[in-house]
Amino acid sequence: MNLVLDQVRREASNLLDQPRRAELGQYMTPSSIAEFMAGLFSYKSPAKLLDAGAGVGSLTAAFFEQALHEKISVSSDAWEIDLILGRYLQTTLDEYVQVGRGKIKAKIHAADFIEDAIFTIQSGATPYSHAILNPPYKKINSHSNHRQLLRLVGIETVNLYSAFVALAVLLLEESGELVAIIPRSFCNGVYYKPFRHLILSRCAIRQIHLFDTRNQAFQDDAVLQENIILHLVKGESQNTVTVSTSRDGKFANYQQAIFAAEDIVKATDNEYFIRIPTTLKDTHLPRFCTHTLDEIGLTVSTGAMVDFRLKEYWCDAKTPCSAPLIYPHHYADGKLTWPKLHKKPNALQHANLVSKNLMPNGHYVLVKRFSSKEERRRLVAYHFSSSDISAEQIGFENHWNVFHINKQGLEESLAIGLTTFLNSSLLDNHFRVFSGHTQVNATDLRNMRYPSLEQLQALGLRAKNQPNDQVTIDQLLEELVTR
């Protein structure tokens, strides 16, 4: 049946044109992943299953297979709004209903899951014992009807995938279980904080599964998003968490380890970041990372210059009546090249909208907010020196995170030391424990711990005039550790 379902999935996928697929935001689940997900549940009779965004029925079919093996009865509700996929879904579920001989019941809802779910939640019902999801991935506009409906039941989120998971949690009975394959992007960052709070306040995390290769979970659809499989239990007290890994969606080289709850979500973390270590070594901060940014007197902010809002002030090069505007593309191989021929401007004319967001020339540490998937490091930092450009004031474009002291520059050795620390392999490995995507937010950087002010200054003095290669950076940090 699995091979047949995979053929059906590919056939149905090919019938969806690209605009329609983008509208649905849905990528269908390979049978190997569906089997793994269904195998995570505890099975008890009778089970009531929810599958929202069911596609051709791979997930529900995997659950039915397991239920038949466990000899329990199941009734299921599957939502699929697309008529093409709905026809395949009907065929899949009808076969299991026949095989189940009264032990399996299945109902398909060709309707908007969000609208139906909110109606049920408002009625006070929690009808499901299990939920298995590969929800659609698509941003929700802040003024959309879906966003307004979700707020009626206390859900504040920015993407359909997190909306579907949140609704499924609310629809589960106490001790109900949810298994979902979703992007890892919700684990950190400010936009998903309300969603993290909702699931962590109502559920315990039982298991998280990682794929070593970003493009393998949905390789037939060329999806590069980093996905995880999340197993939640509603109303259960948080205990240890199993973190498993595999090379790909066929679960080659499967490994797992068990971690304390505190290793996954820190009790003192007001951002509710979900960390995903894979070894016990990953759970420990370097012993010298003990200070918050406040404690060392630093601030990090998103670059204040949003270029498209300042288009009327764009300049190709610096003039006496303008200020340099620094973008990430001005840096290559750790060096600043400014001005630089590009479709974006090199400077901004002075005006009230511009001047209020300029910073005095000085030493700053710049961290790229967006890194390409091909870049070796997730954290990419640069030292902007006061001698790099002859100007009284500088503008830092919105694609930067900027380290500063009350909107002023840093002392030079501190700036060099902080840049060296941020570019180290040690920190990059630690950062990846709680960040599964290529975006680095100022909130992420505020939530980290750093060496002391004195240690950063000492590191900067040692790093000054040293080569900027990874081996040298890591060796300098190792010397700081062993001192």
Side-chain angles (χ1 to χ4, degrees):
M1 186 67 179
N2 296 334
L3 291 176
V4 173
L5 261 178
D6 276 337
Q7 291 172 354
V8 168
R9 173 176 57 83
R10 293 189 188 100
E11 180 182 317
S13 182
N14 289 334
L15 290 176
L16 299 175
D17 59 21
Q18 289 305 313
R20 180 61 172 159
R21 175 177 290 187
E23 180 184 342
L24 289 172
Q26 176 74 311
Y27 298 92
M28 288 171 281
T29 318
S31 61
S32 58
I33 292 178
E35 286 176 11
F36 177 83
M37 292 171 64
L40 295 177
F41 288 108
S42 306
Y43 284 84
K44 54 190 177 183
S45 190
K48 186 68 186 291
L49 177 68
L50 164 66
D51 182 357
V56 300
S58 301
L59 289 175
T60 295
F63 190 95
F64 285 165
E65 288 277 1
Q66 193 70 29
L68 289 169
H69 176 75
E70 299 284 344
K71 298 180 180 178
I72 68 167
S73 61
V74 184
S75 58
S76 72
D77 285 316
W79 270 263
E80 181 48 63
I81 202 167
D82 183 76
L83 295 179
I84 294 174
L85 296 179
R87 289 196 291 270
Y88 285 98
L89 176 63
Q90 187 72 64
T91 301
T92 300
L93 300 190
D94 283 350
E95 289 187 32
Y96 279 97
V97 169
Q98 292 174 11
V99 171
R101 297 181 179 181
K103 287 209 164 211
I104 291 179
K105 298 178 182 178
K107 183 176 182 180
I108 296 174
H109 303 264
D112 187 305
F113 171 66
I114 292 178
E115 293 179 1
D116 285 1
I118 287 169
F119 178 82
T120 303
I121 292 165
Q122 288 183 319
S123 74
T126 52
Y128 300 103
S129 61
H130 299 79
I132 190 165
L133 302 176
N134 173 12
Y137 178 86
K138 186 181 179 184
K139 289 183 179 178
I140 306 174
N141 186 288
S142 58
H143 301 295
S144 68
N145 184 50
H146 278 156
R147 196 73 171 263
Q148 306 306 317
L149 286 171
L150 290 165
R151 286 171 179 152
L152 293 176
V153 291
I155 296 173
E156 188 63 58
T157 193
V158 295
N159 202 294
L160 284 178
Y161 85 80
S162 47
F164 274 46
V165 171
L167 289 168
V169 166
L170 297 183
L171 289 168
L172 284 175
E173 63 187 28
E174 288 298 297
S175 300
E177 299 180 40
L178 177 147
V179 176
I181 181 166
I182 54 178
R184 188 179 170 179
S185 53
F186 77 94
C187 291
N188 66 307
V190 65
Y191 295 119
Y192 288 101
K193 179 179 177 180
F195 171 66
R196 291 193 298 274
H197 180 250
L198 184 147
I199 62 173
L200 293 172
S201 64
R202 295 174 182 265
C203 301
I205 301 173
R206 187 172 285 181
Q207 183 164 344
I208 301 171
H209 183 82
L210 295 172
F211 299 97
D212 290 343
T213 307
R214 181 187 296 268
N215 62 354
Q216 289 298 305
F218 298 103
Q219 58 180 328
D220 291 343
D221 295 314
V223 175
L224 290 175
Q225 177 69 252
E226 185 166 356
N227 291 283
I228 65 172
I229 294 172
L230 181 67
H231 183 193
L232 302 175
V233 183
K234 187 172 180 180
E236 184 173 89
S237 297
Q238 184 63 65
N239 206 322
T240 57
V241 178
T242 299
V243 176
S244 54
T245 61
S246 64
R247 188 169 67 238
D248 53 30
K250 293 183 172 59
F251 298 89
N253 196 31
Y254 178 88
Q255 296 180 3
Q256 69 176 45
I258 296 175
F259 296 90
E262 177 71 8
D263 293 333
I264 307 299
V265 181
K266 305 292 183 188
T268 57
D269 184 2
N270 293 328
E271 298 296 326
Y272 310 107
F273 280 8
I274 297 174
R275 295 158 172 81
I276 313 180
T278 56
T279 68
L280 291 176
K281 180 181 175 182
D282 294 338
T283 64
H284 302 298
L285 270 170
R287 59 184 172 83
F288 57 83
C289 292
T290 55
H291 292 69
T292 66
L293 281 180
D294 282 344
E295 288 169 347
I296 57 177
L298 298 182
T299 303
V300 62
S301 308
T302 304
M305 295 298 185
V306 183
D307 62 0
F308 69 87
R309 294 177 182 165
L310 302 169
K311 213 161 187 178
E312 62 184 294
Y313 306 112
W314 286 16
C315 301
D316 287 334
K318 182 179 178 296
T319 67
C321 296
S322 68
L325 178 61
I326 308 302
Y327 285 84
H329 68 251
H330 283 120
Y331 280 89
D333 299 322
K335 296 184 182 300
L336 176 70
T337 301
W338 184 95
K340 191 174 187 177
L341 186 63
H342 197 273
K343 63 182 180 181
K344 295 292 188 178
N346 283 297
L348 293 171
Q349 296 173 10
H350 283 298
N352 287 337
L353 282 176
V354 173
S355 299
K356 69 179 183 178
N357 289 317
L358 294 172
M359 289 184 167
N361 197 355
H363 296 278
Y364 296 92
V365 177
L366 311 178
V367 175
K368 291 171 68 173
R369 289 181 58 209
F370 304 96
S371 302
S372 70
K373 296 179 177 67
E374 293 75 27
E375 284 191 279
R376 186 165 33 90
R377 289 198 312 264
R378 193 66 52 85
L379 287 170
V380 182
Y382 301 98
H383 167 216
F384 179 89
S385 172
S386 59
S387 61
D388 284 343
I389 297 176
S390 177
E392 291 185 5
Q393 294 179 301
I394 307 292
F396 296 112
E397 196 269 336
N398 190 245
H399 284 73
W400 290 117
N401 295 299
V402 184
F403 285 87
H404 56 91
I405 299 176
N406 296 324
K407 298 188 178 179
Q408 304 283 323
L410 284 60
E411 186 267 326
E412 182 182 27
S413 64
L414 174 58
I416 296 172
L418 179 58
T419 303
T420 304
F421 170 69
L422 291 169
N423 283 332
S424 67
S425 297
L426 184 148
L427 185 66
D428 194 65
N429 292 337
H430 181 73
F431 187 80
R432 290 170 187 270
V433 169
F434 67 83
S435 178
H437 50 90
T438 55
Q439 183 171 339
V440 179
N441 301 303
T443 305
D444 301 336
L445 297 170
R446 290 188 202 107
N447 211 45
M448 286 170 24
R449 293 296 181 268
Y450 297 79
S452 69
L453 181 65
E454 294 74 21
Q455 287 173 316
L456 288 171
Q457 289 171 328
L459 181 60
L461 289 171
R462 294 173 68 85
K464 188 175 182 180
N465 300 323
Q466 291 287 330
N468 195 35
D469 61 275
Q470 195 65 54
V471 172
T472 302
I473 289 170
D474 292 342
Q475 184 177 341
L476 287 165
L477 201 68
E478 181 64 27
E479 291 170 0
L480 179 70
V481 175
T482 55
R483 287 178 65 187

